[in-house]
Amino acid sequence: MDNAQLTNVLMTGILAMIGFVSNIFIKKMDRFEKKMEEILMSNVGINKDIEVIKTDIDNHEVRITNLETK
């Protein structure tokens, strides 16, 4: 094997390693993105539930005052 072939083999190996590492990095970034999306969506759901509970409390307070006045 002469120097040119050895250089080609080494460059191919380096490019394969770079591709492998970048593929792993992309997969980890996708997982991170999905986790962040789940966290944000659950946060939105929790905020919506809090708003519903607040309106329910307000409705119950109105009912209680109506009952107390009668």
Side-chain angles (χ1 to χ4, degrees), residues 1-9:
M1 194 184 299
D2 62 348
N3 286 340
Q5 290 176 337
L6 182 61
T7 303
N8 287 341
V9 169

Side-chain angles (χ1 to χ4, degrees), residues 13-65:
I14 289 172
L15 288 175
M17 287 176 54
I18 290 172
F20 178 73
V21 170
S22 64
N23 190 20
I24 290 173
F25 180 73
I26 289 171
K27 286 181 182 178
K28 287 189 179 194
M29 289 301 292
D30 285 343
R31 277 190 240 134
F32 177 74
E33 181 182 350
K34 287 180 183 177
K35 285 182 183 178
M36 289 302 295
E37 184 178 338
E38 289 174 6
I39 290 170
L40 292 174
M41 291 303 288
S42 69
N43 192 16
V44 168
I46 289 170
N47 288 340
K48 188 73 171 177
D49 291 342
I50 290 172
E51 289 176 16
V52 168
I53 290 172
K54 284 181 181 178
T55 57
D56 287 346
I57 288 173
D58 291 339
N59 290 341
H60 287 297
E61 289 177 0
V62 168
R63 289 179 187 169
I64 289 172
T65 55

